[in-house]
């Protein structure tokens, strides 16, 4: 149905792979052997009680809040640093221009 078109390399650099050809006839075979039974897993299944679901939701909420707090504090630290650098730049500029006037 949807097959990707593989471009032919005009100068092969190794083993030459022939282009795929479309099949002319499709032969459907029926399986002769019965399907094998899948063995049961030895691991116990996880059963969630309403209390454990609430604990998981509470834990996930706590993780999201902590990560959000950390990211916001980092952003605030960057903003404060940028503001202080801007103030320092203005003070230095003012000192340099006042020195040139004298």
């Amino acid at each position: 149905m949807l097959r990707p078109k593989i471009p032919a390399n005009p100068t092969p650099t190794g083993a030459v792979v022939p282009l795929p050809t479309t099949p002319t006839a499709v032969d459907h075979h029926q399986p002769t052997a019965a399907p094998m039974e899948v063995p049961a897993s030895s691991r116990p299944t996880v059963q969630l009680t309403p209390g454990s679901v609430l604990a998981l939701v509470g834990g996930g909420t706590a993780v999201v809040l902590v990560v959000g707090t950390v990211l916001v504090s980092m952003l605030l630290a960057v903003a404060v640093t940028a503001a202080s650098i801007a103030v320092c730049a203005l003070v230095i500029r003012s000192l340099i221009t006042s020195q040139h006037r004298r």
Side-chain angles (χ1 to χ4, degrees):
M1 215 166 87
L2 297 173
R3 294 186 182 197
K5 299 289 184 185
I6 301 173
N9 191 358
T11 57
T13 58
V16 178
V17 179
L19 293 174
T21 59
T22 58
T24 56
V26 177
D27 192 11
H28 297 285
H29 293 284
Q30 295 295 329
T32 56
M36 298 197 58
E37 217 176 283
V38 177
S41 176
S42 62
R43 295 183 347 189
T45 58
V46 177
Q47 298 197 3
L48 296 174
T49 62
S52 63
V53 169
L54 285 176
L56 285 174
V57 168
T61 304
V63 167
V64 167
L65 289 176
V66 167
V67 169
T69 303
V70 168
L71 291 177
V72 167
S73 64
M74 288 171 58
L75 180 65
L76 183 62
V78 169
V80 167
T81 304
S84 65
I85 289 174
V87 168
C88 290
L90 288 175
V91 168
I92 292 173
R93 180 178 165 196
S94 172
L95 289 174
I96 289 174
T97 56
S98 68
Q99 209 173 35
H100 283 291
R101 289 182 187 165
R102 290 183 184 184

